[in-house]
Amino acid sequence: MSTETLNYSRDRSALAVVLSDFWHEFKQNHGALAGLVVMGLVVLMAVFADVIAPHSPIEQYRTAMLVPPVWQDGGSWEFILGTDSVGRDLLSRLIHGSRYSLYIGLIVIFISLTVGVMLGLLAAFFKGFVENLIMRAMDIILAFPSLLLALALVAILGPSLENAMVAIAVVLIPHFVRITRAQAIAELGKDYVAASQTMGAGVGRLMFINVLPNCMAPLIVQATLSFSTAILDAAALGFLGMGAQPPTPEWGSMLAVAREFILTASWLVTLPGLAILITVLSINLIGDGLRDALDPKMKRGKA
Amino acid sequence: MFSFLIHRLMILIPTFIGVTLAAFAFIRVIPGDPILVMAGERGITPERHAEMMTAFGFDKPIWEQYFSYIWQLLQGDLGTSIVTKQPVLEEFAALFPATIELSICALIVATVIGIPAGIIAAVKRGSFFDHSLMTLSLTGFSMPIFWWALLLIVFFSGFLGWTPVSGRISVMFYFDSVTGFMLIDSWLSGEEGAFKSALSHLILPSIALGTIPMAVFARQTRSAMLEILNEDFIKTARAKGLSNFRVIVVHAFRNALIPVITVIGLSVGVLLAGAILTETIFSWPGIGKWMVDSIFRRDYPVVQGGLILIAGIVMIINLTVDLCYGLIDPRIRNKR
């Protein structure tokens, strides 16, 4: 029993060392910290949207259509960021929109990461036919411009937020497959894998317990960057009318509706786009920080 | 070099066959009746339905459909648009120059600004310029380009009134297309003001489309330059007493070219994807807008043919980029 505890505590401290090392590297990067703070605020906004938002995101105030933001002539404190063409409060719609963006990002990453890692591991472990089949299929997906493929997929599946998420996930899968495969092949050549194999570990154990944890660093970075791509692409699909459908307060589809008021009510165009930009920028800042902190090659470059 | 080319083609050909298979499967994986899906909410009479089934060959077995489709493809027949009744290839050929013109201009904007900015940032590492440039470039990279395009329109077309909002040239000019490139055609036409009009229509879309590549080029150039500037041969070059400019441009930048060419090559796919949004917003009559319109009109032969053509172009460009590395760096072409 005492050895068990000893092992356990040693593992714990090893993990703690890795994490504190990581945090030490990460906090050197002021941009990444700023990104983390902003992203934290966006998450809080999404979680407490019902509490924070002053109005309902879909209620139409027929007496207050196209009210400008409070700092412009004719603006009022009741609708701080103004209202849209049917009198919905823009601030409330933006706050609720953060839910959709995070939801889209999380679901897309979940699908593409899971499928991508599975396919990548299969390709690394089963060389020959399986590997060729998977990698050529990924080449085919990568041969199409991503947004075009997503657009075509949504056109087949029917325009909706769920189908847009599936389409974007499909387009992002190849990146995860390639990274997982390359990383797993490098790990498979190492002694600890051979040792585990000699001790009778099965393919499943080798894949998930031995190899996968050592492939995590680049996958985490890729997942972060894909998170921002997913938000951007979903907004683009929404903008083209192939994503979230009105009256959903999704930022991209809000921009699509606002397009006709571009010269008369510019706040309807500038603010949702700014929301997308700030969210995506903060995720990308975090992604940069993660890459610098996790990538050993970058560390050497710095020294 | 020759075996390198053959090796690359051996990978390319099965991938292209896969692309045709994917585009072929496109209409056929839709649950339900493809003709009804194409008809959409308009509905369709039973006679027309039977006619269309025969016209598309949906009444034949699936493998027979695929082979006759491949056979037509090999003869350069990509099908006929349901809406315009024009052959897909002809429509594509008519619109493609507009997209090339826009993409080349976007690429010029991105290269001319992005690469020198990246070089300066690397040389003045840690300076105010470096920090601002990296922040700006990450912002550009995070920009939803459809929104950025709208902002450009609000400011330059709406507020300042400098540039037109849409199209390739003012409607008052009319001349026959010689090259398909509006800048060259308007120049050749000799009509006064035509070239200026074409150029002013091109500026905003080029900036909108060029922003993301510009950000990527600046970042990539900076990091490639930083790596090279630490190398010993740069110290040697400096020790020889070469001018700073010569060390940076001739010695360092030439060696940083490979990663930079890689990103330029890879950005072609990005440009084509960006062209979908940019062309839609600026009503630019290129293949991006054509694909979006066709998807909305449920003109599936066009979508199918367009997907194959665009994927083919992306693959050829990627192959060219690969061959370029082989030419620049013998280590790559001799590696298996």
Side-chain angles (χ1 to χ4, degrees), chain A residues 71-117:
Chain A
W71 59 85
Q72 280 182 21
D73 288 340
S76 82
W77 279 105
E78 198 192 347
F79 305 106
I80 299 174
L81 297 181
T83 59
D84 65 7
S85 56
V86 291
R88 291 175 298 207
D89 179 43
L90 188 60
L91 177 62
S92 308
R93 287 178 71 71
L94 288 178
I95 292 174
H96 278 270
S98 64
R99 284 190 171 178
Y100 287 92
S101 284
L102 296 183
Y103 169 62
I104 292 164
L106 288 175
I107 300 281
V108 167
I109 293 306
F110 178 75
I111 300 175
S112 51
L113 186 69
T114 326
V115 178
V117 166

Side-chain angles (χ1 to χ4, degrees), chain A residues 139-140 143-145 148 152 155-156 232 236 239-240 242 255 262 269-270 273-274 276-277 280-281 284-285 288 291, chain B residues 15 18-19 26 30 138-139 141-144 146-147 150-151 154 219 276-277 281 292 295-296 300 307 310-311 314:
Chain A
D139 284 350
I140 292 167
F144 298 103
L148 181 62
I156 294 182
L232 276 181
F239 181 72
L240 291 171
M242 284 288 183
L255 276 170
I262 175 172
V269 175
T270 45
L274 206 57
I276 301 174
L277 176 63
V280 172
L281 180 60
N284 282 340
L285 283 168
D288 264 15
R291 186 177 45 213
Chain B
T15 312
V19 165
F26 183 73
I30 313 172
L138 200 65
T139 312
F141 185 66
S142 312
M143 195 78 89
F146 51 98
W147 176 66
L150 290 175
L151 287 190
V154 168
R219 278 164 72 91
I276 294 168
L277 293 166
I281 290 166
V292 172
I295 285 173
F296 276 98
Y300 286 123
L307 281 174
I310 293 174
V314 172

Side-chain angles (χ1 to χ4, degrees), chain B residues 33-83:
Chain B
D33 187 331
I35 302 288
L36 286 183
V37 173
M38 267 188 254
E41 283 149 18
R42 286 168 294 184
I44 192 166
T45 62
E47 296 83 51
R48 181 86 184 115
H49 183 264
E51 204 180 296
M52 296 273 279
M53 282 298 266
T54 326
F56 281 95
F58 287 136
D59 47 354
K60 298 201 188 82
I62 193 112
W63 57 269
E64 210 177 304
Q65 289 181 39
Y66 180 66
F67 284 111
S68 70
Y69 164 74
I70 288 292
W71 181 240
Q72 286 178 339
L73 196 69
L74 288 174
Q75 291 166 322
D77 178 7
L78 285 159
T80 311
S81 159
I82 299 175
V83 178

Side-chain angles (χ1 to χ4, degrees), chain B residues 142-159:
Chain B
S142 312
M143 195 78 89
I145 73 167
F146 51 98
W147 176 66
W148 177 226
L150 290 175
L151 287 190
L152 289 172
I153 292 178
V154 168
F155 190 70
F156 288 102
S157 305
F159 183 66

Side-chain angles (χ1 to χ4, degrees), chain B residues 1 48 55 84 89 188 191 198 206 229 232 237 271 273 283 299 318:
Chain B
M1 191 66 209
R48 181 86 184 115
T84 62
L89 195 61
L188 291 177
E191 279 190 58
S206 303
L229 285 173
D232 286 341
L271 282 175
S283 302
D299 195 345
N318 287 347

